[in-house]
Amino acid sequence: MRADGRGFNALILAGSRGGVDPVAAYAGVSHKALIVLDGETLLARVTQALREAGASTIAVSVSDDAVRAAANALGLIVLDAASGPSRSVRDGIEALGAPLLVTTADHALLQPEWVTRFLADVPLQADVGALLARQDVIEAAAPGTRRTYLRFADGAWSGCNLFYFATPRSVAALDLWAQVEADRKRPWRIVRRLGIGTLLRYLSGRLTLVAAIAHLGRLADLDAAAIASPFGLAAVDVDKPADLDLVRTLVEKA
């Protein structure tokens, strides 16, 4: 059953890929989740947005002791981060069940209305939904921002770090997610997984994002939905120092 914006469960991914994170180092903290923006850590900002959107239970997956302490102070359920985001989501679903909304600790600009709109737009029959924003929408909201785009017949799209695992069956999407994680900087490899016919449609400029996501879902025996965000800033996370400079500028102007 889809959440209606009241009393849903949420998971914040705040693990680490290992090594020194350049954004955390740039900000002088041990982990991105602890970066302070407008007087609050990113973890606190994301938590507040989820609570204002109606989340009743929020867990966070962590791999850093300082983040663990911050999460405890915020009253969050703390889970040990797994070897990758997809495994951490699987652990989150095991702990909290489905439906489950998933986002990331570096979603610095997250707003409650982005969450509630996303939940409202996920089709009732969907097992899993992903929020994406089109390039023109993103650049209108944040001119000059550099994102990684998947280019389809209906435009170039970037992920918004908001996912909805609506049913217990949605865990089947996590194996596919693990494969996508490995190829996240090589979009053509992601598209190749769709099969030769769909790949040819992509190469000829006839494949839409909605069709691509639906086909990926069928590969996992799921009903998967791509949700278009009207909020361009929903695609702006803090992946690199330039992103942090951007979000600081946007918050100062707000």
Side-chain angles (χ1 to χ4, degrees):
M1 181 174 65
R2 189 185 66 184
D4 61 3
R6 297 186 299 273
F8 62 89
N9 293 339
L11 173 68
I12 303 171
L13 298 175
S16 172
R17 296 185 184 276
V20 176
D21 184 289
V23 183
Y26 179 68
V29 295
S30 64
H31 191 282
K32 283 194 293 185
L34 303 177
I35 293 172
V36 174
L37 183 63
D38 196 27
E40 293 184 305
T41 65
L42 298 192
L43 180 61
R45 290 175 64 89
V46 171
T47 298
Q48 184 62 26
L50 292 173
R51 284 175 171 157
E52 290 182 10
S56 56
T57 303
I58 304 174
V60 56
S61 62
V62 307
S63 55
D64 179 275
D65 288 341
V67 177
R68 184 184 301 275
N72 283 325
L74 290 167
L76 305 178
I77 295 172
V78 179
L79 304 175
D80 290 330
S83 56
S86 60
R87 178 68 246 189
S88 291
V89 172
R90 188 183 297 273
D91 292 345
I93 293 175
E94 289 177 0
L96 300 178
L100 183 68
L101 179 81
V102 177
T103 190
T104 58
D106 66 352
H107 208 330
L109 301 175
L110 185 64
Q111 298 296 312
E113 55 266 33
W114 302 352
V115 175
T116 54
R117 174 66 180 269
F118 174 47
L119 293 176
D121 287 349
V122 175
L124 287 172
Q125 75 277 9
D127 294 299
V128 62
L131 189 69
L132 301 102
R134 207 166 62 185
Q135 184 175 7
D136 58 336
V137 176
I138 296 168
E139 292 183 348
T145 184
R146 297 177 64 85
R147 320 266 20 120
T148 299
Y149 290 103
L150 294 169
R151 300 187 182 279
F152 291 93
D154 50 352
W157 299 82
S158 184
C160 295
N161 284 0
L162 276 172
F163 306 91
Y164 190 56
F165 293 83
T167 69
R169 295 177 64 241
S170 63
V171 296
L174 295 173
D175 292 335
L176 185 59
W177 186 353
Q179 297 169 8
V180 171
E181 284 172 18
D183 294 332
R184 66 188 184 282
K185 299 301 182 183
R186 292 163 291 190
W188 66 271
R189 288 194 178 183
I190 298 172
V191 176
R192 188 177 65 183
R193 299 183 189 282
L194 297 174
I196 186 64
T198 307
L199 176 58
L200 289 174
R201 288 174 59 202
Y202 175 77
L203 293 174
S204 63
R206 296 182 292 114
L207 181 66
T208 66
L209 172 71
V210 170
I213 295 297
H215 188 70
L216 280 171
R218 287 193 293 273
L219 293 178
D221 195 27
L222 295 171
D223 190 315
I227 311 302
S229 175
F231 309 107
L233 293 181
V236 178
D237 57 7
V238 183
D239 264 347
K240 49 190 179 293
D243 295 332
L244 180 57
D245 291 339
L246 172 63
V247 299
R248 282 174 170 163
T249 299
L250 291 170
V251 168
E252 287 172 0
K253 290 180 178 179

